[in-house]
Amino acid sequence: MPLIELKDIAKTYIIGDGLPVHALNKVSLTIEPGEFLAIMGPSGSGKSTLLAILGLLDKADSGEYKLLDKEISRLTDNEYARLRNHFFGFVFQMFNLLPRLNVTENAALPFIYSAEAGTADRARVVSTLRQIGLGDRLNHRPNQLSGGQQQRVAVARALANKPLVILADEPTGNLDSRSAGEIIGILKELNRQGNTIIMVTHEPDLAQAATRQLLLSDGRIVSDTRKETRPVVELPAARLQQAQHRRSLTLSGVGNYIFEAGVTLLSNKLRSFLSILGVLIGVAAVIAMLAIGTGAKRSVEKTMSSMGSNLLMVSASFRQQGVSLGASASPTRFTFEDLAALKRLEGVSRVAPNVSGRAQVVAQNRNWNTSIVGTSTDYQFVRNSVPVTGRFFTEEENNARAKVAVLGKTVVDELFGGASPLGQSVRINRISFTVVGVLPEKGSSGPQNNDDQIIVPVKTAMYRLLGEDYIRRFDVQVADAAALPAVQAAIVPVIGKLHRMTDSQMENISVRNMAEIQAAITEMASTFTILLGSIAAVSLLVGGIGIMNIMLVMVIERTREIGLRKALGAENFDIMLQFLIEATLICVLGGLLGIALGSLISVAISVFAGWNVLISTGSIVLALTFSILTGIIFGLWPALRAARLLPIIALRYE
Ligand code: ADP
């Protein structure tokens, strides 16, 4: 049975000006097992085209190709890839070794694309390398070898899968005559051991080594001479069956791609670092922004729940067609009569009025700008703010407009450096106040620091400090939660009556319970978080585009590598997977480093700015998922481009 039978093979190229070039013109050829065939002819006569078609790197336009008596011209690209892996070993003029891999890894490359290769096969590759004199170079990189040594590695690679045919395209074209002689010697020895060899050469000397010489001219065979006949070699026909099995994706296969992707990234550290940086910044931004957003939301919720659920907040707003313009435009100015009336309402246990403003505060020689809140004795109970040291002011002090103050923790730190301020005097807007107590620590709600305030009696605040003659707001505490709706409904009419308001004016008074306020704030905080998160996501997008860019450059740079891998039996899916894994690895590394950096930034913000931050597992999972998706989405197109390259075109790419 012949090994290969070609019948009427034709290949025509249409060149620039539309003229057809018949690279092969009805070539028929039978190759027996064990032959050493030299294909010769002038440049442009079709030698390489014939070799590419014989090696299934290219398809003929017409004609038949029988491999071990089976017609294979109609097989798919992937079936061709499997046949190449099992039946052909290639030796190229340009060696085509992968610079990142060492000698052994290069020679074992075909195993990536075959299902059966095991440790015994790897050991065989090493012993082949030893036999051809590379025993002391096993861990060297290709660029540490001479041309002749590199070509020997390529021969070992061609032999790795025990091919039926070794195809060599000008294997000595880039070598000095001594190395050329050595390579020919190796090929001859391989042929003597029963290997079929097909070699393209234009040097008649080298062709002498072959047992049969084919001369091409203008795409036709013009002479075919056999020097000697080889003893018939038995062919393992079962291998044809074997070669058609689909190889399934294995864990070790994927592991191998990840390893190679890592080696690739390490081989160009600066570029890898820059592409990782894009994702890193994006993910760090996402993590930090979400941490700030979530932290703010949590502390607002905490503050809210510490205030208790029996609280109603009464404020005035000036509404026009449903738009709230805030308290400043309000026509309703609450009075002490309102306060008294609210206190008398059935079910109400306490009412704390509220006026506020900012003021410059001085103690000894220190200065601080803070918020001043004027309220009544009830405040400490309504707002869970019974002083930790000292006391709150009394109702008598309020009525007497006494100059007494209760300080928040931050104010104490700023003005007294942590020393006890009790009995000391502070000047608020140049008026001297005596400190009577310190408020319990509340923490901050996002950017708002709840400990940065001074509480003074409401009347003192209004008439001595802020120059206001009305109350802005009331906090109303209800004795029993069950009475809440009734009290909520009763408040507006009571105030409305005192101010002789019309129904529409009364609509400007808002009475909200904690649940409503909490819902509103939570919603605001969520919007804030989403906003921050989306801004950060944009930077991730930019990082992704950077990766796509790099990957496209990589595909172009590595076109010959892709060609080589396809020659060794890589299917389209293998090439796609390899590039996809590389892109994803960049993104995962960027993602992990980004999570670390983002967490660091969040912690720094909480330490230096005093904001509450919260890094949730959710945001970490989200960021990691996003970065993996970025890798897959932005890597997909370059990967598909790589996968679709035709082997012969990729190999010829300059
Ligand atoms: P050889 O190897 O004998 O030098 P080739 O097989 O490379 O010859 O080429 C045979 C002919 O086909 C030449 O005229 C060449 O210009 C043409 N040819 C080969 N490949 C292509 C291609 N991809 N596109 C257009 N023309 C091609």
Side-chain angles (χ1 to χ4, degrees):
M1 178 173 50
L3 181 59
I4 293 173
E5 262 185 293
L6 300 187
K7 200 160 166 244
D8 294 336
I9 289 290
K11 181 83 184 175
T12 307
Y13 293 106
I14 306 294
I15 50 171
D17 39 11
L19 290 177
V21 175
H22 299 288
L24 289 179
N25 199 344
K26 301 221 165 189
V27 169
S28 298
L29 175 67
T30 304
I31 297 167
E32 299 293 339
E35 281 189 321
F36 186 165
L37 176 69
I39 304 177
M40 304 178 58
S43 175
S45 56
K47 304 183 294 290
S48 302
T49 307
L50 179 59
L51 196 78
I53 288 177
L54 282 168
L56 303 180
L57 292 170
D58 202 0
K59 274 189 178 171
D61 297 333
S62 63
E64 283 176 17
Y65 185 142
K66 276 189 183 164
L67 183 65
L68 297 175
D69 248 0
K70 184 174 184 290
E71 169 59 44
I72 58 163
S73 338
R74 310 271 169 276
L75 297 187
T76 63
D77 290 352
N78 285 341
E79 285 168 319
Y80 265 29
R82 272 170 248 156
L83 289 177
R84 281 196 295 272
N85 184 262
H86 281 78
F87 289 98
F88 299 104
F90 295 91
V91 180
F92 305 95
Q93 182 175 356
M94 304 290 293
F95 322 139
N96 283 344
L97 301 179
L98 297 188
R100 304 178 298 276
L101 303 183
N102 68 23
V103 165
T104 318
E105 288 160 346
N106 261 296
L109 205 56
F111 295 147
I112 300 178
Y113 307 113
S114 71
E116 303 87 25
T119 33
D121 295 286
R122 286 173 195 279
R124 182 165 44 75
V125 163
V126 173
S127 81
T128 309
L129 285 169
R130 291 217 165 91
Q131 271 166 31
I132 55 180
L134 291 168
D136 54 346
R137 297 277 188 281
L138 295 179
N139 293 317
H140 285 51
R141 309 244 164 232
N143 62 6
Q144 297 168 306
L145 303 181
S146 72
Q149 287 170 327
Q150 291 191 45
Q151 195 61 303
R152 277 187 261 165
V153 179
V155 171
R157 181 181 64 195
L159 291 170
N161 265 349
K162 294 202 257 180
L164 291 191
V165 187
I166 294 168
L167 297 156
D169 193 353
E170 303 269 11
T172 58
N174 270 5
L175 300 179
D176 59 76
S177 57
R178 210 185 104 228
S179 308
E182 282 167 14
I183 293 294
I184 293 294
I186 292 173
L187 291 179
K188 251 178 119 166
E189 174 58 22
L190 287 171
N191 178 242
R192 205 187 53 75
Q193 292 166 6
N195 291 290
T196 310
I197 296 178
I198 305 175
M199 173 177 76
V200 163
T201 181
H202 59 264
E203 290 180 54
D205 298 3
L206 299 181
Q208 288 308 317
T211 60
R212 180 182 173 190
Q213 294 168 357
L214 205 66
L215 189 64
L216 287 190
S217 176
D218 289 332
R220 291 172 196 273
I221 297 175
V222 290
S223 85
D224 182 353
T225 43
R226 274 199 175 81
K227 243 178 25 180
E228 50 189 300
T229 2
R230 285 269 159 209
V232 177
V233 179
E234 268 310 304
L235 281 180
R239 282 183 69 175
L240 199 57
Q241 240 78 42
Q242 211 179 26
Q244 278 164 348
H245 286 312
R246 264 200 79 91
R247 176 165 37 91
S248 53
L249 188 63
T250 59
L251 210 60
S252 75
V254 173
N256 187 58
Y257 288 132
I258 295 176
F259 169 76
E260 273 207 54
V263 172
T264 310
L265 291 189
L266 282 178
S267 71
N268 201 330
K269 294 193 188 66
L270 179 65
R271 184 154 82 184
S272 311
F273 172 72
L274 290 177
S275 18
I276 285 174
L277 199 63
V279 178
L280 190 155
I281 292 173
V283 169
V286 169
I287 290 284
M289 293 295 175
L290 289 182
I292 293 170
T294 324
K297 195 170 132 194
R298 277 295 152 81
S299 53
V300 168
E301 281 167 2
K302 218 174 83 194
T303 317
M304 291 281 144
S305 62
S306 76
M307 282 196 240
S309 54
N310 299 3
L311 203 61
L312 292 169
M313 286 195 173
V314 183
S315 59
S317 61
F318 185 74
R319 271 190 205 133
Q320 228 172 21
Q321 290 163 350
V323 182
S324 167
L325 297 181
S328 58
S330 161
T332 315
R333 303 190 147 201
F334 298 126
T335 61
F336 286 100
E337 284 80 63
D338 296 331
L339 175 63
L342 289 177
K343 275 193 168 169
R344 282 196 302 272
L345 264 180
E346 170 129 12
V348 170
S349 58
R350 299 179 208 276
V351 182
N354 178 297
V355 292
S356 60
R358 292 198 74 82
Q360 196 67 22
V361 190
V362 184
Q364 288 141 4
N365 52 2
R366 296 198 218 197
N367 229 305
W368 188 240
N369 188 288
T370 186
S371 136
I372 307 293
V373 174
T375 186
S376 70
T377 319
D378 277 356
Y379 178 92
Q380 57 183 322
F381 307 111
V382 173
R383 287 292 185 100
N384 277 331
S385 296
V386 178
V388 278
T389 48
R391 59 172 181 89
F392 216 77
F393 49 79
T394 62
E395 210 41 52
E396 290 71 43
E397 282 169 326
N398 184 17
N399 286 329
R401 302 177 189 180
K403 291 176 280 183
V404 287
V406 185
L407 309 189
K409 177 80 169 44
T410 305
V411 181
V412 175
D413 290 345
E414 293 297 334
L415 295 183
F416 298 95
S420 170
L422 289 187
Q424 304 284 333
S425 106
V426 291
R427 293 171 74 79
I428 306 177
N429 281 355
R430 307 212 178 131
I431 303 167
S432 187
F433 280 70
T434 306
V435 179
V436 294
V438 178
L439 293 168
E441 201 170 339
K442 293 270 173 173
S444 50
S445 320
Q448 188 199 333
N449 179 355
N450 297 322
D451 296 319
D452 189 5
Q453 59 176 359
I454 296 181
I455 311 267
V456 297
V458 63
K459 288 182 179 166
T460 316
M462 283 163 69
Y463 305 119
R464 288 191 193 267
L465 275 180
L466 305 172
E468 285 184 3
D469 60 354
Y470 63 96
I471 295 165
R472 294 229 185 149
R473 225 177 57 211
F474 293 112
D475 292 348
V476 178
Q477 195 179 49
V478 179
D480 178 8
L484 204 80
V487 175
Q488 192 167 4
I491 289 175
V492 177
V494 167
I495 296 177
K497 206 171 138 200
L498 279 170
H499 290 259
R500 295 192 181 80
M501 285 175 172
T502 63
D503 281 358
S504 75
Q505 281 171 325
M506 280 198 274
E507 276 177 17
N508 294 333
I509 300 171
S510 107
V511 181
R512 293 198 289 173
N513 62 40
M514 287 315 288
E516 287 164 358
I517 293 172
Q518 191 160 348
I521 290 180
T522 305
E523 197 194 306
M524 212 174 70
S526 303
T527 316
F528 176 68
T529 310
I530 291 170
L531 189 79
L532 290 179
S534 359
I535 293 171
V538 170
S539 53
L540 199 58
L541 188 77
V542 175
I545 293 172
I547 286 185
M548 176 129 91
N549 193 7
I550 290 284
M551 292 306 295
L552 283 174
V553 172
M554 282 233 255
V555 170
I556 292 171
E557 262 183 10
R558 286 160 63 187
T559 304
R560 286 174 73 94
E561 175 189 330
I562 295 166
L564 170 77
R565 287 176 183 274
K566 289 204 158 182
L568 299 184
E571 297 178 25
N572 291 0
F573 178 74
D574 297 308
I575 301 289
M576 193 192 76
L577 193 66
Q578 187 192 344
F579 279 88
L580 214 52
I581 285 180
E582 266 176 44
T584 311
L585 187 68
I586 292 177
C587 286
V588 168
L589 285 177
L592 291 175
L593 291 173
I595 288 170
L597 181 70
S599 310
L600 219 67
I601 292 175
S602 310
V603 171
I605 287 176
S606 102
V607 170
F608 294 111
W611 295 10
N612 242 319
V613 298
L614 193 98
I615 306 160
S616 63
T617 348
S619 69
I620 289 178
V621 172
L622 190 80
L624 211 55
T625 316
F626 256 98
S627 44
I628 291 173
L629 282 180
T630 308
I632 293 177
I633 291 169
F634 289 97
L636 195 61
W637 189 49
L640 281 175
R641 273 181 72 142
R644 277 201 293 255
L645 281 170
L646 293 175
I648 187 65
I649 294 189
L651 275 170
R652 290 222 178 122
Y653 182 83
E654 295 294 331

